[in-house]
Amino acid sequence: MGTKGARAEREPAERLPVARVCVDVPLPHLDRPFDYLVAAEDDEAAQPGVRVKVRFAGQQVSGFLLERAEASGHQGRLAYLERVVSAERVLDPEIVRLARAVAQRYAGSLTDVLRLAVPPRHARVEAQAVPVVETPESGGDPPPAPGGWDAYPAGPPYLRALEEGRAARAVWSALPGEQWPARIAEAAAATVRGGRGVVIVVADARDLDRVDRALEAVLGAGRHVALNAALGPAERYRRFLAASRHRVPVVVGTRAAVWAPVARLGLVVIWDDGDDVHAEPRTPYPHAREVLLTRAQLADCAALVGGFARTGEAQLLLETGWAREIAADRVVLRRRSPGMAPTGDDPQLARDPGAVSARLPSLCWQTARQALQAGAPVLVQVPRRGYLPSVACAECRTPARCPHCAGPLGLSGARDVPVCHWCGRASAAYSCPACGAQRLRASVTGARRTAEELGRAFPGVPVRTSGRDEILTTVPAEAAVVVATPGAEPVAEGGYGAVLLLDTWALLSRSDLRAAEETMRRWLNASALARPAPEGGRVIVVADGSLAPVQALLRWDPGWFAARELAERRELGFPPAARMASVTGQPEAVADLLALARLPEETEILGPVPVDERDGAGPAQERMLLRVGRGRAAALAHALHEAAGVRSAKKAALSVRIQVDPADLF
């Protein structure tokens, strides 16, 4: 009773008594700030960026205080903030502007984006002091060592632009064997010397560890923090606070680090932007590259998009003039590149007619043997993990399917029975529905089976595997065979003597808009680990040398391939030349949303197509694709978000998933 009386007697703050709050209610029709009164006793703590509790629709819910105002446009009586959860200002104004822009681009709500941007509170950590690190305004860091950025004609001018605080934007094609973590650290140091902050985003924990070590070597201890979800909630929040309190000038991390609050942001960096882990799996599904580029635009700061490969999106940045290219000239490239050869060209087929169909043609065996005899490790990249992840009838080659759910069957070992990849059921008495045969053959050979074959071929040579179950970070400079799936290739001390790219058809034949681009990325990332040709490094790709991706690999020309891919997508009207959105749900729900959406007149509607429900459960779903020109992308996103809001206000029972520029179109 006393508490209620005290609340009834509360007086509003004398100055800026109105608080605008983003309420944590994930309903599209409530995607706007709500006004509350700030009590006089909360005046000091209720600052923009703090967490608050408010009364909303009869319940107490969480929210972020976005700003304070003198008056409200609301005509009714305003309720008071229930309480200020903490005086810690965890939401920077810059991040609020970024979150709004990202929500608008991806047809999402501000609440959903802020849920991605700010980690959950950890009260005990918040109460602890974060050590202060003195950051000099200029100087204090040694200039980059020669032989790094000097290898690129545009490299030194780019570092000077960063140090001078200019908004220099670049797409960087890294040389084979490049110590890219050191180059990124040098770019960060140049920015810090100019008194600005840096945000760096990499794909996974292995890359993060390498950049973390490089930053400490270049900047010194305590000048940066590394954000990683694997740290645990307490340590991750401690490091987030070091950034939000502006104690460190540089933040590096995986996908979530795109939202890291940094004072006086001067540079954003993303490495290997084509990796699919940069795409956020939670609504509204933003891509880390697009968030960072939006952030660079809003903050008027520099940007660096780097990698061994180049995406169509990065190529578009160059062709529109938004960014400049950083690449080495051909003389330096030839000196740094490994020797390249395909197994499907005419001279090789004349020597080895079986190379066209063999999984490991003689050129691969010879190259691997020579490298092992020289005491160098050999990397073998296979596109699939496991033993025989895909099998087919040995007689008629019909793909083996589960008799229960029609999912694909696979083998996990030489003496195992086929198991379904979808429902997990074993099919010990499998017989082919087409011809009745019971013997199976490999459709795709996995990493473990490949390691088994290579162990027999090179007796006495250690054979190691690196994949999802166990990912190796490094391997020593000694004779060994390393079989790895894409993205799990360990770094070899001194580089690999040979890199073999097997089962290339499994990558190139995928029914995916980005199949060729992804293949190019995986090949280049693996090939970059080989020694230069003058030191004996060789790369063998088991593919026809006339194919465009193989040609680009042999010449190490990711720019040519990206320009070719972008031109084809522009002609076909696919992203990034156009903007597309997918609407997925039960047919009646999809039809309802599209009927409500005030789409731009030029919107092209494609579909519907059924959605593959792998578990076989739940009602059937379909997907519609919407396509517009890049200039109408904002109008399309607004129309879809508005329609979702109408359905939300009507309390529609069936949900619809909206994705703008989804990673998978087919």
Side-chain angles (χ1 to χ4, degrees):
M1 187 73 179
T3 302
K4 291 183 179 179
R7 288 182 178 177
E9 296 172 0
R10 285 191 293 184
E11 294 292 332
E14 292 185 6
R15 182 177 173 274
L16 303 177
V18 175
R20 297 209 163 93
V21 177
C22 177
V23 181
D24 189 8
V25 178
L27 296 174
H29 71 286
L30 299 177
D31 182 27
R32 64 183 186 278
F34 290 86
D35 289 352
Y36 289 85
L37 285 177
V38 178
E41 60 267 25
D42 292 331
D43 186 24
E44 184 177 352
Q47 299 300 315
V50 302
R51 290 181 168 98
V52 296
K53 291 286 187 179
V54 297
R55 185 68 57 177
F56 191 87
Q59 296 182 330
Q60 190 176 100
V61 297
S62 301
F64 290 103
L65 199 160
L66 301 180
E67 60 178 330
R68 297 273 296 268
E70 285 289 354
S72 170
H74 180 65
Q75 299 299 318
R77 182 167 174 262
L78 295 180
Y80 280 92
L81 298 176
E82 288 290 302
R83 64 187 177 93
V84 177
V85 175
S86 166
E88 187 74 44
R89 302 174 72 169
V90 293
L91 186 59
D92 272 16
E94 185 228 343
I95 301 301
V96 175
R97 291 192 298 273
L98 175 64
R100 281 183 172 137
V102 170
Q104 290 167 3
R105 188 205 186 286
Y106 285 95
S109 65
L110 181 61
T111 296
D112 288 332
V113 178
L114 291 182
R115 198 175 290 123
L116 303 176
V118 183
R121 180 174 181 250
H122 202 285
R124 180 175 57 82
V125 172
E126 205 170 81
Q128 297 172 351
V130 176
V132 178
V133 178
E134 295 296 333
T135 304
E137 288 298 313
S138 62
D141 297 307
W149 284 104
D150 291 344
Y152 308 87
Y158 184 72
L159 294 189
R160 285 196 297 272
L162 295 180
E163 191 166 352
E164 293 167 4
R166 287 184 276 144
R169 282 82 181 255
V171 174
W172 170 37
S173 293
L175 283 164
E178 180 64 87
Q179 296 298 314
W180 60 267
R183 303 293 85 76
I184 289 177
E186 289 162 359
T191 308
V192 172
R193 284 196 299 272
R196 307 288 291 274
V198 184
V199 172
I200 304 166
V201 176
V202 295
D204 55 36
R206 290 195 310 154
D207 287 348
L208 177 58
D209 289 341
R210 295 182 66 188
V211 178
D212 188 16
R213 291 193 298 269
L215 286 170
E216 184 163 355
V218 173
L219 295 175
R223 303 287 297 281
H224 77 283
V225 291
L227 299 179
N228 186 357
L231 293 169
E235 182 58 26
R236 180 167 180 257
Y237 192 61
R238 180 178 291 108
R239 298 188 184 189
F240 170 81
L241 289 180
S244 70
R245 294 172 180 175
H246 302 156
R247 299 291 194 250
V248 291
V250 179
V251 177
V252 60
T254 50
R255 185 178 58 231
V258 296
W259 310 102
V262 172
R264 299 191 66 211
L265 184 64
L267 173 66
V268 296
V269 181
I270 185 167
W271 173 259
D272 198 13
D273 66 299
D275 196 316
D276 57 8
V277 300
H278 285 303
E280 174 61 58
R282 294 172 291 174
T283 184
Y285 318 106
H287 193 284
R289 176 191 56 243
E290 303 306 315
V291 176
L292 285 180
L293 296 180
T294 301
R295 192 168 182 182
Q297 190 72 22
L298 293 175
D300 191 28
C301 73
L304 181 63
V305 179
F308 294 115
R310 185 183 297 174
T311 59
E313 286 78 5
Q315 181 65 25
L316 186 63
L317 296 177
L318 295 175
E319 294 188 8
T320 58
W322 194 88
R324 299 292 181 89
E325 183 181 36
I326 297 179
D329 59 41
R330 301 304 297 182
V331 174
V332 175
L333 182 59
R334 282 193 292 269
R335 190 168 63 245
R336 297 274 292 269
S337 296
M340 303 277 195
T343 61
D345 59 356
D346 292 338
Q348 178 60 28
L349 290 175
R351 291 190 296 269
D352 180 14
V356 70
S357 58
R359 181 164 185 257
L360 289 170
S362 61
L363 180 60
C364 290
W365 294 107
Q366 295 164 7
T367 303
R369 184 177 294 111
Q370 291 170 2
L372 293 171
Q373 290 174 348
V378 173
L379 173 65
V380 181
Q381 186 195 71
V382 293
R384 297 288 295 273
R385 61 184 176 87
Y387 192 77
L388 295 179
S390 180
V391 291
C393 173
E395 300 297 329
C396 67
R397 309 299 171 90
T398 299
R401 293 277 177 179
C402 175
H404 303 285
C405 72
L409 296 179
L411 288 171
S412 57
R415 301 182 181 277
D416 291 341
V417 298
V419 175
C420 177
H421 288 302
W422 289 3
C423 68
R425 294 172 177 166
S427 299
Y430 175 82
S431 62
C432 176
C435 69
Q438 294 184 324
R439 290 190 307 114
L440 295 171
R441 68 182 297 275
S443 248
V444 175
T445 304
R448 282 197 293 115
R449 173 62 180 268
T450 303
E452 185 180 285
E453 294 173 352
L454 292 170
R456 291 194 296 264
F458 300 107
V461 176
V463 179
R464 307 180 68 185
T465 59
S466 181
R468 190 178 72 173
D469 296 333
E470 181 186 6
I471 297 180
L472 305 176
T473 302
T474 59
V475 293
E478 58 188 35
V481 176
V482 179
V483 182
T485 52
E489 302 92 345
V491 177
E493 297 177 14
Y496 289 97
V499 174
L500 311 180
L501 306 174
L502 306 186
D503 299 337
T504 56
W505 59 269
L507 294 175
L508 291 169
S509 61
R510 293 183 307 153
S511 58
D512 189 326
L513 173 67
R514 299 180 182 270
E517 179 181 279
E518 177 64 9
T519 300
M520 187 85 262
R521 188 186 72 82
R522 294 181 178 189
W523 288 353
L524 288 172
N525 284 352
S527 302
L529 301 175
R531 298 174 179 177
E535 299 177 19
R538 294 196 71 191
V539 174
I540 307 299
V541 54
V542 183
D544 184 353
S546 65
L547 298 174
V550 181
Q551 283 290 309
L553 175 68
L554 299 180
R555 300 199 307 266
W556 199 279
D557 197 349
W560 170 81
F561 183 77
R564 186 178 184 275
E565 279 283 296
L566 181 59
E568 289 184 359
R569 293 189 206 173
R570 186 177 284 118
E571 184 177 347
L572 297 172
F574 284 130
R579 282 287 173 81
M580 299 189 77
S582 69
V583 180
T584 307
Q586 295 184 36
E588 54 269 37
V590 172
D592 180 41
L593 184 136
L594 293 181
L596 293 170
R598 296 184 293 180
L599 300 173
E601 290 183 6
E602 62 272 30
T603 303
E604 186 178 0
I605 301 178
L606 310 172
V609 294
V611 174
D612 182 16
E613 291 292 336
R614 294 194 169 187
D615 58 4
Q621 294 198 341
E622 68 179 23
R623 179 164 69 164
M624 300 285 284
L625 294 176
L626 312 177
R627 177 165 58 190
V628 296
R630 290 182 59 83
R632 300 294 289 161
L636 174 63
H638 176 74
L640 292 174
H641 183 57
E642 185 181 57
V646 174
R647 295 189 77 246
S648 171
K650 295 194 312 183
K651 299 182 179 179
L654 302 177
S655 63
V656 175
R657 183 171 72 250
I658 299 171
Q659 288 181 267
V660 175
D661 287 344
D664 299 320
L665 287 176
F666 307 120

